[in-house]
Amino acid sequence: MKTLLSLFLALLAFECTTQKKNQEVNNGTKIYYAEQYRPQFHFSPESGWMNDPNGMVYYEGEYHLFYQHYPDSTIWGPMHWGHAVSTDLIHWEHLPMALTPDENGYIFSGSAVVDWENTSGLGEDGEPPLIAVFTYHDPVGEKEGNIDYQTQGIAYSNDKGRTWTKYGEPVLKNPGIRDFRDPKVMWFNESKKWIMSLAVKDHIEFYSSANLIDWHKESEFGKNLGAHGGVWECPDLFEMKIQGTNESKWVLLVSINPGGPNGGSATQYFVGDFDGSKFTTEQTETKWLDNGRDNYAGVTWSNIPEADGRRLFLGWMSNWNYAELVPTEKWRSATTIPRELILEKVNEQFVIVSIPVTELKKIRNEKVEMPAQVIAGSVGLETENIELMNSEMKLNFSLKHNGQTSAAETFGIVLKNNLGEYFKIGYSTPENIFYTDRTKGGINSFSENFAGLHTANYEAGETMNIHLFIDEASVEVFVDGGKLVFTDIVFPTESYDKVELFSTKGSIELIEAEAWNLNSTW
Ligand code: FRU
């Protein structure tokens, strides 16, 4: 009997390895991660539902990405933490589920840190443990009509994040408020304490702890500041150098749903100061990290080594308005490309600039250059050598014409297919408005909230650089080195394969145009 069982297991193992190989290539055709709309250089789960990125932490050469995951369905359900690792932020290896629901509830969003000094006492053999801090969402309590069903829990790992042990009882109880979640934890060196930022309905609360287990409330922020069109979620607090200076400021990211600038979910930010207890800001206007509809619940990596020094960000590339309805069958959702956040001071105003991480250059093929030219009306770009929906493109426009700024009234880029479907990126000079338009982008009948024109006020200079990352079902637009960003998903019936540049009421000069086909990372 035993022999039969081992034979069966050996056969099964053989079958699995062969299947995996077959998955990758079948007669020279890629079949792994090859479904329609499957992102080729973004992270997406193999199957099932995904929302927020969670617990992003760097440890011993690996970037960890956990994420809100429901493996049994392509719609939201009992939340787990899915897990993947990467050594370059671009190629991801799927790992077994990190955290699963238990008697305390579903495992909602949160963060992870390296407890270098073993302040928690949960480390082993002199090695620092990884500690995950997350929200328990108790669905039973919620059903019973209680309001205290969200609490904060922790789990630890002593094997580089491969397996996790829950601490047990929640470490931070609910004070009697329905929305009490998404802990982001960081080490505050001056007071030698951990600081937790927590989203509490319409504001952020800060808690401190010496050991990640006993938490003490420090302060509240934001009841009367920023956008309040929806509930506040997924905060992230971190210090940033102001670019080109030795000064630094503190930045607080706060996601909000709904109430985004173009509808549904979006992420706002505040620039101010943090003294270990209180966050304060002089900022009066609302600032958005991204003006597209599909960059939500994004936070930054913990424990990036000082020698690297970057503030690395990843968002969920969808929107609660329609995330459960998008036309993918095996999985739902992906992350944005990883971005580096930079704090700039422009005209006495703080701006967070987002740039694609430099590691993305690794997947570029040879550069394709397109001729500089004056655009009057509609002009097709020569893109035969570019597989548009797996590409990166940089276009530089001069807004000066005959010595005058802003010759054309509007100008921009259209990505299109033969079916008349298109995604448009444009700028209106009299209005100072930058926009993306997916009203005729492709399939959009799945939700009346999906099709739309997305706009942001933006004052152009004498030139405008538009940097695009185009994957199977998304377009990420970085304007003028990331001062303005639009992230939008889109579902063309057939891939876009043409690029048209346009100008209305006057001309615009294309001074430089380059593109790269990008290799699949899957
Ligand atoms: C944000 C969010 C979080 C919550 C999680 C649940 O998208 O609503 O506030 O923890 O998703 O999946």
Side-chain angles (χ1 to χ4, degrees):
M1 191 62 195
K2 235 184 177 173
T3 345
L4 259 182
L5 186 66
S6 349
L7 187 67
F8 173 72
L9 288 176
L11 269 174
L12 192 71
F14 175 73
E15 184 69 5
C16 288
T17 331
T18 329
Q19 255 179 22
K20 170 85 180 140
K21 280 207 182 112
N22 286 348
Q23 263 177 354
E24 278 152 13
V25 177
N26 187 2
N27 294 333
T29 312
K30 178 180 190 291
I31 61 169
Y32 182 60
Y33 270 52
E35 305 93 340
Q36 191 185 19
Y37 304 131
R38 176 66 93 168
Q40 292 302 302
F41 55 90
H42 289 83
F43 177 84
S44 62
E46 266 184 332
S47 60
W49 167 266
M50 177 186 101
N51 55 291
D52 315 356
N54 294 151
M56 288 134 68
V57 64
Y58 178 87
Y59 183 56
E60 293 205 342
E62 291 178 328
Y63 297 92
H64 290 266
L65 167 60
F66 302 89
Y67 54 95
Q68 288 288 276
H69 190 28
Y70 183 35
D72 301 337
S73 167
T74 47
I75 57 168
W76 189 90
M79 283 292 107
H80 299 52
W81 272 28
H83 189 194
V85 287
S86 171
T87 53
D88 64 1
L89 291 164
I90 311 296
H91 298 88
W92 293 97
E93 181 193 343
H94 292 294
L95 292 181
M97 197 71 73
L99 296 169
T100 53
D102 61 33
E103 65 283 0
N104 290 311
Y106 301 165
I107 314 295
F108 270 23
S109 287
S111 50
V113 288
V114 184
D115 182 11
W116 285 112
E117 291 172 30
N118 195 19
T119 60
S120 62
L122 298 168
E124 272 171 13
D125 306 326
E127 295 293 323
L130 290 182
I131 309 283
V133 189
F134 51 85
T135 298
Y136 273 124
H137 173 99
D138 173 18
V140 181
E142 183 184 20
K143 253 208 193 113
E144 286 171 353
N146 303 338
I147 55 167
D148 58 355
Y149 52 81
Q150 295 189 340
T151 55
Q152 318 315 316
I154 67 171
Y156 56 97
S157 168
N158 284 304
D159 57 359
K160 294 182 71 179
R162 284 350 186 235
T163 57
W164 291 83
T165 309
K166 299 217 189 79
Y167 183 73
E169 282 306 292
V171 292
L172 181 58
K173 300 246 156 53
N174 187 301
I177 188 149
R178 200 166 266 120
D179 297 292
F180 188 70
R181 59 177 177 268
D182 307 339
K184 178 83 185 342
V185 169
M186 55 138 204
W187 177 249
F188 191 75
N189 206 28
E190 278 164 52
S191 59
K192 298 261 180 274
K193 276 190 182 154
W194 298 99
I195 299 294
M196 176 199 291
S197 310
L198 197 69
V200 186
K201 192 180 165 196
D202 57 355
H203 64 278
I204 302 301
E205 293 185 358
F206 298 103
Y207 290 77
S208 69
S209 170
N211 59 7
L212 291 158
I213 295 165
D214 306 302
W215 292 93
H216 163 81
K217 183 170 166 182
E218 293 285 341
S219 65
E220 296 186 358
F221 169 81
K223 271 195 182 133
N224 302 311
L225 282 171
H228 281 277
V231 68
W232 281 23
E233 300 183 317
C234 301
D236 190 2
L237 175 71
F238 46 87
E239 192 174 14
M240 288 187 97
K241 270 252 157 71
I242 306 169
Q243 178 88 332
T245 75
N246 277 327
E247 263 175 79
S248 65
K249 291 298 261 186
W250 285 80
V251 171
L252 179 66
L253 304 183
V254 176
S255 282
I256 170 174
N257 177 55
N262 286 297
S265 333
T267 301
Q268 58 182 325
Y269 66 90
F270 301 90
V271 181
D273 296 296
F274 182 69
D275 62 3
S277 171
K278 267 200 179 78
F279 179 81
T280 49
T281 180
E282 284 161 17
Q283 183 180 318
T284 47
E285 76 282 28
T286 304
K287 295 180 192 257
W288 300 101
L289 199 62
D290 197 310
N291 295 276
R293 294 273 294 284
D294 299 296
N295 179 1
Y296 190 60
V299 288
T300 64
W301 253 278
S302 300
N303 296 101
I304 295 297
E306 253 170 52
D308 179 321
R310 289 178 296 173
R311 186 46 64 178
L312 297 169
F313 170 94
L314 201 62
W316 172 41
M317 197 157 59
S318 199
N319 188 310
W320 280 116
N321 266 354
Y322 43 73
E324 294 186 313
L325 304 169
V326 297
T328 54
E329 274 163 28
K330 195 174 164 196
W331 82 101
R332 274 212 178 93
S333 300
T335 64
T336 64
I337 51 169
R339 301 164 184 192
E340 179 184 352
L341 303 184
I342 293 166
L343 182 63
E344 284 191 10
K345 202 171 183 181
V346 185
N347 302 332
E348 293 307 300
Q349 284 285 326
F350 290 110
V351 184
I352 292 193
V353 168
S354 303
I355 58 171
V357 294
T358 174
E359 285 88 338
L360 280 158
K361 292 185 182 145
K362 282 180 28 174
I363 55 168
R364 282 177 174 175
N365 284 283
E366 242 166 72
K367 179 154 78 176
V368 179
E369 282 179 275
M370 290 153 288
Q373 54 193 295
V374 172
I375 312 294
S378 274
V379 179
L381 260 197
E382 286 167 33
T383 49
E384 296 89 74
N385 295 327
I386 304 164
E387 202 193 308
L388 202 55
M389 298 207 74
N390 266 298
S391 73
E392 176 187 351
M393 198 174 284
K394 272 186 176 176
L395 302 176
N396 233 337
F397 296 94
S398 165
L399 276 66
K400 277 221 159 200
H401 187 68
N402 295 338
Q404 286 188 341
T405 309
S406 313
E409 193 167 287
T410 62
F411 69 93
I413 306 163
V414 182
L415 313 174
K416 57 189 226 174
N417 62 20
N418 282 328
L419 302 173
E421 296 170 344
Y422 63 84
F423 184 90
K424 196 170 182 179
I425 299 150
Y427 185 69
S428 161
T429 49
E431 295 168 301
N432 286 337
I433 284 178
F434 194 98
Y435 63 91
T436 58
D437 178 0
R438 65 175 179 198
T439 48
K440 303 250 169 3
I443 300 176
N444 56 28
S445 54
F446 54 87
S447 161
E448 57 184 28
N449 289 321
F450 186 75
L453 179 72
H454 313 144
T455 61
N457 294 328
Y458 185 68
E459 215 160 296
E462 292 185 352
T463 59
M464 185 181 284
N465 182 276
I466 302 182
H467 188 179
L468 306 176
F469 281 81
I470 309 162
D471 204 338
E472 297 292 327
S474 61
V475 183
E476 285 158 280
V477 185
F478 299 86
V479 184
D480 291 336
K483 287 199 177 67
L484 185 73
V485 186
F486 282 73
T487 303
D488 289 310
I489 53 174
V490 65
F491 301 94
T493 314
E494 281 174 15
S495 292
Y496 301 137
D497 58 356
K498 285 180 201 57
V499 182
E500 214 170 73
L501 303 184
F502 71 92
S503 73
T504 61
K505 297 201 182 152
S507 59
I508 185 96
E509 205 182 332
L510 174 70
I511 44 181
E512 206 177 11
E514 44 196 24
W516 296 263
N517 287 325
L518 299 181
N519 290 332
S520 175
T521 58
W522 297 97

